[in-house]
Amino acid sequence: DYPSAGPHLITGEDFEAEGTEVWVWDAGKKDDEKMAPALPVSDEPLLPETPPANARRITPLDVERQVIVAPLEGVVVWVRTPAGTSRPCLFNVAKPCWLGPQRVEPGAAVHVFGFGLRAPWRPCRIALKGAGRQYMVSPKPPDRDYRAEDSTLIYFDVPAETAAGVYSVWVHNGNGGALGWRSAGTVEVVAPVEVKERLIDVRGFGAK
């Protein structure tokens, strides 16, 4: 449902109207916009198996056997029933699907497509991580180009000083602290091709 302001739907099995609990976790302060610079080594971050001490219990709006309706906050959710606690589910973070082009020169634009790439009122960041190098960039502001108005698209310019090599691209929509970094794929940055100018006189080809 991201980034809907309405309640979320949680689907599963054997929920009970009595004894079912919904727990959420912010994984960091809401006002923390620093976004941990250390990127994860895997796109599947290790989440707590059970709600940590600073998790909060949310009161569901409705509980059916296979569907829970609840106004969720934070970035991780668990459902606890008399039978046990569910696996943690990461939500409200960016969910990039693919990017292109995958072979670019420094200064070229790269487009990232997915869901929740820009969270309302939260700063979005993009990181390029290569062998011994890391570049932090911001996407193009929505008010500068009509393409940026699409909520499923963000795009950025590869920094002009980026060295040639293969880089993994990570997207952060401002939610989740270190858990908010999500892998969007890889790009290969190649050295610019030097184009030599040629002067051609059309009169040498019969033009008058």
Side-chain angles (χ1 to χ4, degrees), residues 19-195:
T20 295
E21 302 175 359
V22 178
W23 290 81
V24 295
W25 185 45
D26 288 333
K29 296 180 179 179
K30 290 185 178 180
D31 59 353
D32 183 11
E33 300 180 355
K34 297 180 180 179
M35 301 180 193
L39 302 183
V41 296
S42 171
D43 190 35
E44 296 299 330
L46 293 177
L47 304 178
E49 290 297 322
T50 58
N54 58 344
R56 293 176 292 110
R57 183 177 174 180
I58 296 294
T59 302
L61 301 177
D62 186 40
V63 179
E64 302 293 338
R65 190 165 183 81
Q66 294 179 315
V67 179
I68 297 175
V69 182
L72 301 183
E73 299 176 357
V75 294
V76 185
V77 61
W78 298 261
V79 174
R80 180 177 289 165
T81 69
T85 303
S86 71
R87 290 177 297 177
C89 178
L90 191 64
F91 71 104
N92 270 354
V93 297
K95 296 179 176 64
C97 297
W98 60 280
L99 58 80
Q102 294 180 314
R103 195 168 189 268
V104 295
E105 297 180 2
V110 175
H111 296 71
V112 181
F113 298 85
F115 301 95
L117 302 179
R118 288 193 308 270
W121 309 292
R122 303 292 292 178
C124 177
R125 295 290 183 272
I126 299 171
L128 280 71
K129 187 175 183 180
R133 300 184 180 92
Q134 181 170 304
Y135 302 91
M136 301 294 293
V137 297
S138 297
K140 291 288 188 178
D143 59 351
R144 290 183 56 184
D145 195 294
Y146 71 92
R147 291 174 294 179
E149 296 178 358
D150 188 344
S151 62
T152 62
L153 163 68
I154 56 175
Y155 72 103
F156 65 95
D157 293 336
V158 177
E161 68 275 14
T162 304
V166 176
Y167 294 84
S168 57
V169 179
W170 296 80
V171 179
H172 199 302
N173 70 4
N175 290 316
L179 295 179
W181 284 109
R182 309 301 291 164
S183 174
T186 60
V187 295
E188 180 184 4
V189 179
V190 297
V193 178
E194 183 179 356
V195 179

